[in-house]
Amino acid sequence: MDDASNNNNNKRARTSVDKALVDVWLRELGQLSTRNFALRRRASEDLVLRLGIYAKLDKHRGCVNTVSFNTDGDILISGSDDRRVILWDWKTERVKLSFHSGHNDNVFQAKIMPFTDDRSIVTCAADGQVRHAQILERGGVETKLLGKHQGRAHKLAIEPGSPHVFYTCGEDGLVQHFDLRTGAATELFTCRPIDDRRNYMTVVNLNAIAIDPRNANLFAVAGSDEYTRLYDIRKYKWDGSTDFGQPADYFCPPNLIGDEQVGITGLAFSDQSELLVSYNDEFIYLFTQDMGLGPNPPPSSPVSTRSEASEMGSDHTSAASPSTANTDVRIAPQVYKGHRNCVTVKGVNFFGPKCEYVVSGSDCGRIFIWKKKGGELIRVIEADRHVVNCIEPHPHSTVLASSGIESDIKILTPNAADRATLPTNIEQVLIPDHIRWFALGDDDDGDYYFYDIYGEGNDDDDDDDDFDDDDDDDGGGGGSGGGGDVDSDDDEEDDDDDNIDDNVDNDNDDESNEEAISYSDFDDYDVDLDVDDGVDGN
């Protein structure tokens, strides 16, 4: 590292210490409230630069595709290719509860519904199923099938503050609304491309869905094309009398409009209603509400090339499209660069009490952390031997949970004695032209799309994928990433007639289930479950 970089790091360290001392002084004088002092400390760059691995939670036997904290932040929930869901006391590194999800394929997302005493859990998976798990008073777990997508269901989003309502999206392009009070699944719409020239893509295969925390009526979806679509649920007629498929707004960087080689893998809303969008084989972009393209954006060619996009940084202005060049200058979104998002379906997130940072995993097995304002990369953390897919911030503390191709979960806290510096071997993101979306099959169930990283249009290479996990029961090994068949023959045999054969249950499960214990007493405890595969809904 050169002298200029050392000087910048020393200046940053002095500035951080000076601010901390001033804050302590103001708090002692009563000029800074305890709450604001805590918020400033949690957002401190000094803490971010001291993040290190606090614990490795290792009980799954396959890729861990989802991690999420409960509302209080004392429980972490995870789901894996082994089809199990585990609730962790992450501080003590102990399992509170482990159970089979009821899914027939890799679990892609699991979340605890708020205000349910952490007993109500919703999941979605590669089998397309959406399920509800209820933790019973005497320690059992009852799961129920709520709905199903044709193809993989990657993500679900819980309505902020609601113990009952959530949404799901799938590779069939379908968005569904669920209400646990009635068990009803309402099919809202199927997302379709706006460009008729893309006759190879009959639907947009959805990878991500997110709800605006400041306005729970607004939710965004994104997938196998370049657009993020924003919808307003208030426009939906619950009697089905109108078509709800028209978005209220579209978002896309000007340089990617018309680019058929990109897709979107992750979405996140900030507490200020900013929208974070992670593109495969490209960068991460931050949109404010005024950057929307409107409800009817014209399909057109990109206004700039990818090489020009790589030069976009903290400068928030770019050339306007030909149709608007003479009338205004289009505001470009903030760009975050340095990671690589090519192999799997990666999420993206905000970090900090007021969303001061942006975090993402990478194909190189690292966690990347940028300042939200300005897009400066400040941390790169080794977290997986292969790929980091998920990064989840703690709701109240400077803590991160991450997971990826490996079968464990990393918990990161500011426990390092020294402040970290950026490694000198970070390479610029590569953008090979041969990575593209393509259709897998053309049958009655619809087309399925995934990343072809070799450009050969052949999924036979999946068996030799370097990212396959040897411990994966299903042989998928790619987490929620691209590649692989939608259905698994092994799963069909294991789960014939809806009888779940859980290969990872402990031998003493049946004996343990005879004990009458409360949920608070669970400690490294595996349970069997009652399974209801009946689907209620319209």
Side-chain angles (χ1 to χ4, degrees), residues 138-158:
R138 300 186 66 83
V141 176
E142 182 179 80
T143 73
K144 180 180 180 181
L145 178 64
L146 298 177
K148 187 172 175 60
H149 289 268
Q150 298 299 317
R152 292 176 288 190
H154 283 285
K155 297 295 181 183
L156 57 85
I158 298 174

Side-chain angles (χ1 to χ4, degrees), residues 138 508-517 525-526 528:
R138 300 186 66 83
N508 60 353
D509 276 354
D510 293 336
E511 180 180 351
S512 299
N513 285 330
E514 296 175 0
E515 300 177 11
I517 59 179
Y525 189 74
D526 282 340
D528 291 331

Side-chain angles (χ1 to χ4, degrees), residues 165-241:
V165 177
F166 68 99
Y167 299 75
T168 64
C169 66
E171 291 184 353
D172 54 0
L174 179 64
V175 175
Q176 298 191 70
H177 174 279
F178 293 87
D179 192 327
L180 295 178
R181 289 167 293 192
T182 62
T186 303
E187 297 183 358
L188 298 180
F189 61 90
T190 297
C191 190
R192 302 189 184 280
I194 65 173
D195 192 343
D196 294 335
R197 293 174 298 176
R198 301 184 185 183
N199 52 15
Y200 60 88
M201 185 187 298
T202 58
V203 299
V204 177
N205 311 114
L206 297 177
N207 296 321
I209 183 169
I211 301 176
D212 187 343
R214 296 185 65 181
N215 185 351
N217 295 305
L218 302 178
F219 66 93
V221 297
S224 58
D225 70 0
E226 70 270 34
Y227 292 103
T228 297
R229 295 159 171 83
L230 183 70
Y231 292 87
D232 190 335
I233 191 62
R234 291 171 295 189
K235 295 183 179 180
Y236 181 75
K237 303 298 183 183
W238 294 97
D239 59 3
S241 59

Side-chain angles (χ1 to χ4, degrees), residues 57 60 63-70 75-80 84-88 90 107-112 154-155 347 349 367 388-394 399-404 406-412 480:
L57 310 180
H60 283 292
C63 305
V64 181
N65 305 313
T66 175
V67 290
S68 177
F69 289 98
N70 66 340
I75 296 176
L76 181 75
I77 185 172
S78 61
S80 168
R84 297 194 72 82
V85 172
I86 298 180
L87 277 67
W88 306 82
W90 62 270
V107 177
F108 281 166
Q109 190 146 49
K111 285 184 175 290
I112 299 174
H154 283 285
K155 297 295 181 183
N349 228 320
I367 296 171
V388 176
N389 288 324
C390 305
I391 303 179
E392 184 74 12
H394 190 277
V399 175
L400 288 173
S402 74
S403 66
E406 291 184 314
S407 60
D408 63 0
I409 302 161
K410 277 79 173 182
I411 302 295
L412 295 95
S480 58

Side-chain angles (χ1 to χ4, degrees), residues 19 202 336 342:
K19 288 182 178 179
T202 58
Y336 305 92
C342 171

Side-chain angles (χ1 to χ4, degrees), residues 8 65 71 76-77 88 107 115 117 120 172 175 227 261 270 282 299 308 339 373:
N8 289 335
N65 305 313
T71 303
L76 181 75
I77 185 172
W88 306 82
V107 177
F115 306 111
D117 196 24
S120 179
D172 54 0
V175 175
Y227 292 103
Q261 294 187 355
S270 74
E282 239 276 339
E308 290 172 335
H339 72 306
K373 185 177 181 180

